[in-house]
């Protein structure tokens, strides 16, 4: 009987997601740099002034983003998708750790508020008109 219980527990450990085995959460490394100078220009009318995105990142044992899940949408698919794409490329972490202190997959949640300026920026002097585009920046 004991062998069956051990086998069942071993099987459970194999199918339990690594994030569930984490004892500590991933720790962000320089999060202020993740969104700085994003280079993301959003059509002024399409971004509806901005919005708040609540998200969860799955972080690998190497501290890289493996997946991004939108928990609560900003109400704008373009903002949500671009936020996930940017964080997947730029975000880095000290990984989550298991009971023995070994790096494991973990989950990190946050909220980001984006704001589009109230009016499109004026084109720079002596430059061709740029249309109704404005940089989207974290608020």
């Amino acid at each position: 009987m004991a062998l069956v219980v051990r086998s069942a527990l071993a099987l459970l450990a194999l199918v339990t997601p690594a994030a569930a085995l984490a004892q500590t959460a991933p720790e962000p490394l320089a999060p202020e740099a993740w969104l700085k100078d994003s280079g993301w220009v959003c059509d002024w009318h399409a971004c509806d002034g901005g919005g708040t995105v609540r998200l969860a990142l799955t972080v690998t044992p190497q501290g890289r983003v493996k997946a991004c899940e939108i928990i609560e949408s900003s109400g704008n698919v373009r903002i949500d998708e671009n936020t996930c794409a940017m964080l997947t490329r730029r975000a880095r972490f000290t990984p989550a750790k298991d009971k023995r202190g070994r790096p494991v997959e973990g989950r990190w949640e946050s909220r980001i508020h984006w704001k589009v300026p109230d009016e499109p920026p004026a084109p720079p002097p002596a430059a061709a008109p740029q249309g109704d585009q404005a940089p989207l920046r974290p608020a």
Side-chain angles (χ1 to χ4, degrees), residues 33-55:
W34 299 348
L35 306 174
K36 186 178 182 181
D37 301 323
S38 70
W40 177 21
V41 177
C42 186
D43 180 63
W44 190 65
H45 300 289
C47 285
D48 300 323
T52 300
V53 180
R54 187 168 162 239
L55 55 93

Side-chain angles (χ1 to χ4, degrees), residues 16-128:
T16 303
L21 300 175
Q23 295 295 306
T24 65
E27 292 290 326
L29 297 172
E32 65 282 352
W34 299 348
L35 306 174
K36 186 178 182 181
D37 301 323
S38 70
W40 177 21
V41 177
C42 186
D43 180 63
W44 190 65
H45 300 289
C47 285
D48 300 323
T52 300
V53 180
R54 187 168 162 239
L55 55 93
L57 301 177
T58 302
V59 179
T60 68
Q62 293 76 33
R64 305 283 303 237
V65 176
K66 173 180 166 181
C68 177
E69 171 192 356
I70 300 297
I71 298 170
E72 188 177 322
S73 174
S74 65
N76 186 302
V77 174
R78 187 167 181 200
I79 291 173
D80 297 347
E81 288 175 352
N82 280 307
T83 300
C84 274
M86 188 178 309
L87 292 178
T88 299
R89 273 192 324 273
R90 295 181 173 193
R92 298 294 180 267
F93 292 83
T94 298
K97 304 265 194 296
D98 67 9
K99 288 181 187 178
R100 294 183 177 172
R102 295 178 297 204
V104 294
E105 188 172 279
R107 180 178 168 101
W108 183 79
E109 294 184 18
S110 189
R111 234 178 260 277
I112 299 174
H113 180 74
W114 293 99
K115 175 140 179 58
V116 176
D118 293 332
E119 295 182 20

Side-chain angles (χ1 to χ4, degrees), residues 3-27:
L3 181 59
V4 172
V5 172
R6 277 193 216 126
S7 296
L9 289 175
L11 181 59
L12 179 62
L14 289 175
V15 297
T16 303
L21 300 175
Q23 295 295 306
T24 65
E27 292 290 326

